[in-house]
Amino acid sequence: MHTPKHKIAVIGGGSWATANVKILTDNTTDKEIFWWMRNAGAVEHIHKFKHNPNYLSSVEIALPAKNVSTNLKAVIEQADYLLLNVPAAFLKEALTGITPADLEGKKIVSAIKGIVPDENQIIGEFLNQHYNVSFDRFLVISGPCHAEEVALEKLSYLTIASRDTALAAEFAGMFNTRYIKTIISDDIYGTEYGAVLKNIYAIASGICHGVGYGDNFQSVLISNAIRELERFVAAVHPINRDIKESAYLGDLLVTAYSQFSRNRTFGNMIGKGYTVKSAQLEMNMVAEGYYAVNCLHQVNKQYKVHMPICNAVYAILYQKQPPALQMKHLAEELS
C-alpha cells in the first residue's frame, strides 16, 4: 500500500486552523492530514457533516473522519509536521500531557500570532526551552491573510520562515494553492515578533477610530507603527531584513485596516467605551493583541526600545487609562 510522503497534524479548532486545513487539503501534494481540536461536539459534527460548526462553517472539510480527533497524543504520534494553531494564551493548556519526547524529531510549524503569557516568549523560544524543539526544525507562517478570505478563496500571500530555508521551501510546497502564494524567509524572530506587534497596532488603530480620529490620523499612526516595529525587531534580532516586505508591512496594513481584523474590532469597542471584559464577551473570539501588549511590555523592560504606541495601548488596557486622553498624548509623540 502506498504511504503519503508527509503527515501533517493541525492543532487547534478556530477559524485560522480551519483555514489551514482547507489550504492543506486544496494543495495537491501527496500528504495525509490530521486535525486535533478540543471540542468533542465540533469533532462529531465534522465527522457527520464535513463542516466546522463554529468557525468558517462554509468550508467543506475533506478529511476522513478517523483523521479528526480530540486525542492530541495520538494525532501528534502519527505526524511528522505539527502545525500549531491555538491562541498563544492557551498554548500551554492545549499541550497539557505532551512531553518533549512526544515532539522529538518532529517539524513544528507555528501559525500562532502571539506570545505565551507568563513566560513572555514567542512560540519558537517557548518550544525550544520547554519542549527541546530545535530552532532548525521550527517554522513560522505569517503574512497578511485573514481566514475569512481563505474561505472565499481570495488571493493571499503567506511567508514561511525557517532558519533552514530548504525546510521552509518543502513546507511551502504543501501550502501553495490556486489562491495561496508562498514566500520563503529565514527570519523566524522578525516574522514572529512582527505578527505579535501588528495585533497591538491594530488595537491602537481600532481605539483611534473608536474615539473619533479619521483616516488621516490612522495613516500617521500606522507609518509610526512600522517604524516602531522595525526598531523593536532590530533590537531583539539584528539581521538584514526589509521591513517593507509583506510579512511585516503587509500584515500590519491588513490587520490595522480590514473589517475582518478582530484586533481592530476589539480596539474600536475599547475606544467607544466598552470594558475589556464586555468587548471580549461581545466578540466571542480572542483578540491576540490584548494578551500580547502585556507580554511585550514585560519583554521590552529588557530591550528598552522607544515604543509609544505599544505603551499607549498598554496604559489603556492594563492601567485603565481613558482611551481619548491616551490617544491625545500619543498624537503629540507621532511624526
Side-chain angles (χ1 to χ4, degrees), residues 3-303:
T3 47
K5 192 172 167 195
H6 288 294
K7 293 174 186 255
I8 304 173
V10 178
I11 311 298
S15 53
W16 189 220
T18 309
N20 281 336
V21 169
K22 174 179 166 57
I23 293 167
L24 286 164
T25 48
D26 286 349
N27 168 285
T28 54
T29 320
D30 184 24
K31 61 189 156 331
E32 190 172 3
I33 300 147
F34 300 87
W35 190 6
W36 173 85
M37 57 174 82
R38 177 186 288 119
N39 185 332
V43 168
E44 208 169 301
H45 187 97
I46 291 168
H47 287 173
K48 274 194 196 142
F49 304 109
K50 300 285 186 197
H51 295 275
N52 184 342
N54 305 317
Y55 300 95
L56 303 189
S57 49
S58 65
V59 170
E60 191 174 332
I61 307 299
L63 294 180
K66 67 175 175 49
N67 288 27
V68 186
S69 162
T70 56
N71 183 337
L72 183 57
K73 235 180 168 55
V75 164
I76 287 177
E77 210 169 288
Q78 299 180 82
D80 60 327
Y81 270 100
L82 299 184
L83 177 49
L84 299 178
N85 232 311
V86 291
F90 309 134
L91 179 63
K92 283 189 287 198
E93 198 185 321
L95 294 177
T96 306
I98 299 302
T99 65
D102 293 324
L103 302 185
E104 205 174 322
K106 300 198 184 288
K107 297 161 192 133
I108 315 278
V109 188
S110 171
I112 302 171
K113 299 188 169 186
I115 299 188
V116 180
D118 305 327
E119 284 77 5
N120 298 320
Q121 292 172 318
I122 45 177
I123 310 306
E125 285 181 334
F126 175 78
L127 294 172
N128 178 260
Q129 286 198 17
H130 298 269
Y131 289 90
N132 303 336
V133 172
S134 150
F135 283 114
D136 294 329
R137 51 189 175 86
F138 176 71
L139 303 92
V140 179
I141 297 182
S142 67
C145 193
H146 284 300
E148 294 82 358
E149 291 205 345
V150 172
L152 297 167
E153 302 189 354
K154 301 253 186 210
L155 183 63
S156 306
Y157 292 66
L158 285 168
T159 296
I160 315 289
S162 172
R163 279 187 181 175
D164 177 352
T165 49
L167 181 63
E170 176 184 81
F171 187 77
M174 299 186 276
F175 231 68
N176 284 321
T177 65
R178 188 169 52 74
Y179 54 90
I180 296 287
K181 292 196 184 303
T182 50
I183 301 156
I184 306 301
S185 164
D186 62 356
D187 184 16
I188 54 175
Y189 278 91
T191 51
E192 271 222 76
Y193 269 119
V196 169
L197 283 161
K198 56 101 193 186
N199 285 332
I200 300 171
Y201 301 135
I203 291 179
S205 174
I207 292 171
C208 284
H209 188 260
V211 298
Y213 287 90
D215 293 348
N216 295 344
F217 180 75
Q218 288 267 321
S219 63
V220 173
L221 177 79
I222 299 309
S223 78
N224 278 266
I226 195 66
R227 285 174 271 161
E228 189 168 302
L229 189 154
E230 184 168 31
R231 284 196 297 274
F232 185 80
V233 293
V236 173
H237 189 57
I239 61 166
N240 186 18
R241 62 171 68 81
D242 181 0
I243 215 74
K244 297 185 296 296
E245 284 175 7
S246 59
Y248 316 102
L249 180 59
D251 204 2
L252 172 63
L253 291 174
V254 79
T255 314
Y257 286 103
S258 170
Q259 64 195 20
F260 293 127
S261 167
R262 54 186 84 168
N263 288 281
R264 183 192 158 91
T265 302
F266 175 74
N268 193 26
M269 291 165 89
I270 299 294
K272 288 192 186 321
Y274 280 73
T275 63
V276 166
K277 195 110 207 112
S278 59
Q280 285 172 325
L281 283 170
E282 184 143 333
M283 280 179 63
N284 193 22
M285 276 184 167
V286 175
E288 284 274 25
Y290 169 69
Y291 301 102
V293 74
N294 183 36
C295 299
L296 205 97
H297 187 77
Q298 310 308 325
V299 172
N300 198 32
K301 285 178 178 169
Q302 178 191 343
Y303 295 103

